Structures are given as structure tokens and as C-alpha cells.
Amino acid sequence: MKTTSAIIIGAGQTGLAMSQALSSRRIPHVVLERGAVGEAWRSQRWDSLCMLTPNWANGLPQAPYNGPDPHGFMTPDEFAGQLEKYVRDFALPVKENINVNRVWHDSTHFRVDTSDGPIAAESVILATGAASRPNVPSFADDVPEWIFQITLDRYKNPRNLPNGGVLVVGGSASGVQMARELRNAGRPVILSTGNHVRLPRRYRNRDIETWLDVTGVLDQLTTEIGDVERAKRLPSPQLQGGTDDVDLNALQSIGVSIVGRFSAIRDGEALFSGGLSHVANSADLKMNRLFDLADAWIEEHGVADEIAPADRPGATVVPVNPRLSIPFDGGEIRSIVWATGFRPDFSYVDLPVFDRRGDLIHSGGVCTVPGLFVMGLPFLRRRRSHHISGVAKDAQELGDLIAKHLRLWRAA
Amino acid sequence: MTQQTEVTTDNGVDLAAILDARNALTDAPEAAQFTWRAECDWINGVHSKTTITGFYGLGEEQERSKEFGIDADHPPQFSASDEGATPVEIVLSGLASCLMAGLATVAQNRDIQLRSAKARVEGDMDLQGIMGINSDVRNGFRSIRVEFEIDADATPDEVAALVAQSQKRSAVFDIITNPSLVHVTIK
């Protein structure tokens, strides 16, 4: 059987960053990828999508963005191209088109059973990411069969949906982008949103990513965030690559109707929470706290003269009496787009490393079986962890921990 | 990063006990399964009295230190005896009290001293619903407004965040804004 020091599962940005970190530490390893490098960026994204963060924020470890358009927004295909180039430039040991069927541990080694045979290793790094399976509420089963339903890993463009009105569920980045795209394609659109994160694309004439970056918000450690479990479940901010805002005000201005969180189906009706104004107010409060931090940073650095004056967007205006129910047989809803997020899929991990809810237990990416590590989950080590700009530091720190594990393992 | 600072804020909330309980229930989710109870006796007309004596939680039956009674009736405008608040007013009271409890707890957790807090609650209802005059009108509230008046050692934004968090953590806010399953049977 083939044996190596470390096996990285997944050749997205996190797996490749880790591969680079291990290469620079001269740790023999292999990266296993079910498809091609950056597969999910190529196959599970819709046609119009651009990266949420500007190009300057999408560099990889030892390979910052140096193209012609640092303030532009790459397409996912272009980003996958960057990943391929990264593999070539650093000669990373990636094996494509390999399925991992099972990760387990015999009495001495990790064993990774693949479509290309088993491999043994002293360490395994799970880098298959946080977004493997669409997370759809269980009551989706009660949606009448004549309503077309789709999740975002399958959606490509408005032509995927039958003619007629659309209920978009979820106030995340993808939910608001769907609502906008479908409305602009002439569809009647209702967007259902619970808790959400509102951010403008720009503040004081800088991309919002600048403020998240310089104020240190993205570098907050998991230990510095009050309720990290809740933070992990927060939807992605209401942003879109480009220059346009996609918050609830912007969507309503193009004719999208907003309703509260889709909470149940009863008697053939979709029921929505009456707490819409609360979630909108909460999102405004949090957005303004970020502006406070940005304003304070500008003040502190004495650069107010060089930066545009404060231009806070107005409060979110939601309907005073949003609809609380919509009957499915009323003809308004022909399709439902579930933009309700994704969950990781570690079903190939056959080790006692899960809690009672089935979530992988880890502390900063270190799992409870020595030698098993995970990357690319929200708030893995810091707020930045599941951003592209977060993989560098996580890979460095975890690379050190992996090297330490290998030393201890060999000494034992 | 736990910082030990001298706690001077006192909203009458035993925060340490609440945080201990939160940790305990995180480790033992079965103990977090509660069943709340109330028993209602018809007195006369539309006057009834609800008694509350205990609940199930923390894995066993729990008794209250004393029995609580809530009279419900309707005002003379409904040709009733006015021996208590109407049931819908009791619902509004439940919402206000739940938000208020959350406010004090969150304030304590954020080290914010409350000096006074009042919530005015209003619920709009079209009586054509319960009277069966117009089947398009629902029985319950069309909308509910809660207005807080809070005096605390905090900025207006911090106060707004307290009120937001109290909604986020409120059982009654959830019960009212989201559908709940209700099963009514006869013994």
C-alpha cells in the first residue's frame, strides 16, 4: 500500500494552501481531488456569479493577486484558473479525479480508501469545505409537487425555472443575488428572509472589504467573538461582486417583495414570520457598528482628509404589514429557489469525531483524533477563516501543528 | 478571552447562574426539554381563572414556590363582569414581560445598568373576525406594536442592540411571530 506523511482531501483554495504550507515544510503529502482543481468553483456556481470579494483580497499564500484589475471581481471560472496556475507554479502534488470513499484509522495509520486504491498516512487534512450539501428545511417535503424547487448548486440562470413567480428563500448573498437576477429577468419575485447581514458594496468610497480588513474585524479570533456558534450560522453578507448594492432596499426598488422567514407550511399555505422588522433592524444595527469601527479607524489614522465623507445608507425600509402567508394554489408562486445555505459533508470520515448533532468536533481545525485536521469551515480559527484571504494564515498555523504532530508521532 | 472585571452592574439578574445553566444544558440537551403548564377553570360567563403550580424541566416535575392565579374576563362593553384582563391582553402582557426579562438579562450580560424600563404594547384587532361578520378578517391581532422607554447607562445604539437581542432570544416573540402547533382534545 502507498504511504505518505499527509493526505489533503480537496483541491480548492484551502487544500492547495495547505499543500503549499506542507511543501514549504518539506512534508511529503498528496492532495486528492474528486474532479479537477477548483471543481466546485467550476461546476456548482451559477452563470452570472462573480466573486464576493475584490481581486486584491483573493490572493493565495505566497501568490498575491498581481493582475491588471485589483479592484475588479473575478468570475468563479477565472478563480479556478488561478488555482490551476497555483498548482503549476508551486508544483503541488495534486491527484485529480480521485474519489475518497472512506477515511479511517487502523491501529497505527490513517487509511484513505480511494477509487484509486488505499493510501496510508500519518495525518489527514479535510479540505472539502463548508458547502458540500444544500441545507434545505425539512418542510420543503410538504411543498406541493406542482411547484418547481431548486437549490443553488444546480441553478445556472433564470431559464432553469418555469415561467411564473418565484419565491426565493434566504437573505444571504446568494438569496439576494437570485432575487435580483430573477426580478431583472421579468419574474415576479418574493424574497423571504430571516436573520441576515447587510453590507453596502462601498463605504466612504472604498470597497467594504477594505474596512473589514483594516479594522481587524476579519482577524477576530473565535475566542474574541461572543457567540461563535451563532456567528457560524450567520448567512453570508448581502453583497454581489461589482458596484451595485443588493440589500433589501435595493431589491424593493426593482419590485421584489420582502416577507419574513419562511417558517412552516400549513393547509397549503407558506407561512412567514412576523418578525421581519426585527431582523431588518438588527442587520442595520450591526452594519452601523462596522461603520463606527471604520470611522474610528479613519480618525485614529488621521486620514479623514484623504477619504470620502461618511455616506451611511439609510435604514432598511420593510413593509409595515408584510405578508404572513401565501397560498400555493393562488398561482403567485410557480418556483421556489432555496438559498438557505450549505452544510459540509464529512460522511466519508469513519472516525469518532462528530458530536450528537453530527457536526465535526474541532478546536481551531484540530480534530479529536490526533493527526486529523480540518480547514475551510466558518470561524475555524478566525472570522476570516472561510474567506479566500483567510486560508493563508490558517494554513500556516495548522501547517505548524501538523509538523509538530508528525514529530511527536515519530518520536512515540 | 475571559476577562475578570469587577462587576458593578446590578439589574437583579443572577447572570452567573444563567451562564452555568446554559453550559449544563449544552452538555445535557435532554434536561433542556421543558413542558410548561397552566390549568384554567370556568367561573361564570366569560370569566375564567387560570392556575399555575408547576412545570416539567431539568428531567423531572418541578413545583412552584406558590400557586399563581390569573383571572381573565372581558370588559362591560362586552356585557361581561370585568373581573380580569381579557385573554388577548394577557397575551400582550406575556410578550412585554418576555421582552422585558430578556432586556434585563442581556443588559446584565453586557454590563449595562438599567435605571428604568417600560414597554407599551398595543395590538390592533378587527372584531369582525371573532364575531364572524367577515370571514376574510382573522381572529387574532392584525399587528402588534411594542414601544420601549429605557433609561440605562448606555448609548442609544447600545440600547437599540439590547432591544434587538431581547427579541432574538424571546420565546413569546417567537410564539407570536411564527406559527406554533396547537392540539385541542377532550378528555
Side-chain angles (χ1 to χ4, degrees):
Chain A
M1 185 169 34
K2 283 177 275 186
T3 299
T4 183
S5 292
I7 297 173
I8 298 168
I9 303 173
Q13 63 276 8
T14 55
L16 298 180
M18 179 53 83
S19 176
Q20 196 275 337
L22 296 186
S23 294
S24 70
R25 288 168 178 74
R26 303 192 183 288
I27 295 172
H29 67 281
V30 61
V31 186
L32 305 178
E33 167 57 48
R34 71 190 154 127
V37 166
E39 180 69 27
W41 290 109
R42 291 208 188 276
S43 61
Q44 289 173 19
R45 299 292 189 275
W46 58 92
D47 297 345
S48 67
L49 181 66
C50 287
M51 306 299 281
L52 281 191
T53 41
N55 294 338
W56 59 260
N58 296 344
L60 294 164
Q62 311 298 320
Y65 177 84
N66 60 4
D69 189 13
H71 299 292
F73 295 84
M74 262 182 254
T75 65
D77 261 344
E78 287 168 329
F79 183 68
Q82 301 268 312
L83 295 180
E84 282 167 7
K85 182 172 183 300
Y86 193 70
V87 171
R88 288 194 303 274
D89 289 353
F90 289 89
L92 301 178
V94 178
K95 292 178 81 170
E96 296 182 313
N97 302 307
I98 304 281
N99 272 315
V100 169
N101 300 320
R102 184 176 173 221
V103 174
W104 54 292
H105 200 273
D106 63 22
S107 49
T108 58
H109 284 77
F110 286 99
R111 292 272 296 274
V112 176
D113 295 342
T114 79
S115 53
D116 192 37
I119 315 174
E122 296 153 90
S123 173
V124 170
I125 300 97
L126 310 173
T128 45
S132 300
R133 280 184 296 148
N135 190 25
V136 173
S138 55
F139 59 77
D141 294 343
D142 299 333
V143 174
E145 65 203 15
W146 70 81
I147 307 271
F148 178 84
Q149 301 184 60
I150 194 166
T151 49
L152 291 180
D153 51 333
R154 294 188 296 129
Y155 174 88
K156 293 296 169 198
N157 58 59
R159 292 189 301 278
N160 295 143
L161 307 185
N163 284 330
V166 186
L167 170 65
V168 177
V169 186
S172 58
S174 31
V176 296
Q177 291 185 30
M178 282 302 105
R180 183 176 197 256
E181 170 157 307
L182 291 161
R183 181 69 200 122
N184 285 339
R187 303 303 185 91
V189 175
I190 299 162
L191 175 73
S192 156
T193 183
N195 274 319
H196 57 269
V197 180
R198 180 188 183 197
L199 289 179
R201 184 70 263 178
R202 297 179 76 78
Y203 178 63
R204 303 190 71 164
N205 205 25
R206 297 284 196 285
D207 194 276
I208 198 69
E209 183 74 7
T210 305
W211 302 119
L212 290 167
D213 190 59
V214 299
T215 55
V217 167
L218 287 176
D219 294 310
Q220 282 171 336
L221 301 174
T222 48
T223 47
E224 296 168 340
I225 294 164
D227 188 344
V228 72
E229 289 310 313
R230 198 171 76 230
K232 282 177 184 176
R233 293 193 298 272
L234 268 184
S236 51
Q238 295 176 337
L239 286 173
Q240 169 169 319
T243 51
D244 295 335
D245 282 331
V246 282
D247 59 16
L248 300 185
N249 286 350
L251 292 178
Q252 290 179 99
S253 75
I254 59 169
V256 172
S257 354
I258 311 292
V259 296
R261 191 175 67 91
F262 190 176
S263 44
I265 293 172
R266 196 183 287 172
D267 301 332
E269 289 190 324
L271 303 185
F272 304 102
S273 170
L276 177 62
S277 67
H278 159 60
V279 294
N281 289 340
S282 292
D284 284 356
L285 276 169
K286 284 184 195 139
M287 175 183 72
N288 280 305
R289 282 209 286 270
L290 175 66
F291 297 153
D292 290 344
L293 287 177
D295 292 352
W297 185 92
I298 290 163
E299 202 59 38
E300 204 176 295
H301 289 75
V303 290
D305 297 347
E306 302 155 38
I307 290 171
D311 54 347
R312 299 189 177 204
T316 302
V317 180
V318 289
V320 181
N321 294 307
R323 299 171 71 183
L324 302 175
S325 67
I326 299 176
F328 283 117
D329 64 7
E332 271 181 275
I333 301 173
R334 179 67 188 84
S335 316
I336 297 179
V337 177
W338 295 105
T340 35
F342 288 82
R343 294 176 61 78
D345 182 1
F346 296 119
S347 56
Y348 58 90
V349 179
D350 189 6
L351 290 164
V353 289
F354 300 96
D355 66 16
R356 64 178 86 224
R357 288 190 299 191
D359 292 334
L360 184 70
I361 307 164
H362 72 87
S363 169
V366 180
C367 299
T368 47
V369 168
L372 187 69
F373 300 86
V374 63
M375 288 190 70
L377 299 183
F379 293 87
L380 187 86
R381 298 179 71 82
R382 45 182 56 83
R383 193 182 288 274
R384 203 191 279 277
S385 281
H386 67 299
H387 293 228
I388 291 159
S389 65
V391 301
K393 206 155 193 181
D394 282 9
Q396 278 307 316
E397 292 172 0
L398 282 170
D400 286 342
L401 293 171
I402 291 165
K404 188 176 162 199
H405 164 77
L406 294 174
R407 277 198 307 277
L408 290 171
W409 190 86
R410 284 163 193 165
Chain B
M1 229 175 285
T2 315
Q3 286 182 353
Q4 295 296 326
T5 48
E6 197 189 342
V7 178
T8 51
T9 305
D10 182 7
N11 295 326
V13 174
D14 187 349
L15 192 67
I18 291 172
L19 294 178
D20 283 351
R22 188 179 192 271
N23 287 335
L25 295 182
T26 304
D27 295 336
E30 58 286 351
Q33 306 312 308
F34 275 57
T35 300
W36 299 100
R37 298 206 180 95
E39 203 171 281
C40 183
D41 286 301
W42 174 60
I43 306 292
N44 185 43
V46 294
H47 175 204
S48 64
K49 181 165 185 164
T50 296
T51 319
I52 291 154
T53 55
F55 58 92
Y56 177 88
L58 306 171
E60 57 188 352
E61 288 299 325
Q62 305 282 348
E63 259 181 47
R64 305 299 292 265
S65 53
K66 57 185 181 221
E67 193 176 291
F68 298 97
I70 302 169
D71 277 281
D73 199 351
H74 286 72
Q77 291 81 351
F78 290 74
S79 310
S81 50
D82 214 9
E83 297 287 338
T86 66
V88 295
E89 287 163 333
I90 295 171
V91 170
L92 294 181
S93 153
L95 175 63
S97 299
C98 193
L99 292 174
M100 201 60 91
L103 183 85
T105 309
V106 176
Q108 187 74 43
N109 193 30
R110 296 184 179 179
D111 211 3
I112 293 172
Q113 180 65 52
L114 292 181
R115 280 188 292 272
S116 69
K118 187 190 283 293
R120 287 186 193 85
V121 196
E122 291 181 334
D124 300 332
M125 186 184 286
D126 182 343
L127 267 279
Q128 293 184 90
I130 51 173
M131 300 292 221
I133 299 166
N134 184 343
S135 59
D136 292 336
V137 174
R138 71 180 286 181
N139 295 342
F141 292 118
R142 183 172 60 240
S143 70
I144 296 173
R145 289 175 300 282
V146 184
E147 186 189 55
F148 270 101
E149 200 176 309
I150 297 166
D151 183 11
D153 289 328
T155 66
D157 276 355
E158 285 167 340
V159 169
L162 283 184
V163 173
Q165 187 64 16
S166 77
Q167 290 168 79
K168 191 170 271 180
R169 283 278 168 267
S170 166
V172 180
F173 185 83
D174 172 61
I175 290 166
I176 292 177
T177 56
N178 293 305
S180 307
L181 283 171
V182 181
H183 302 284
V184 180
T185 55
I186 300 169
K187 188 175 172 183

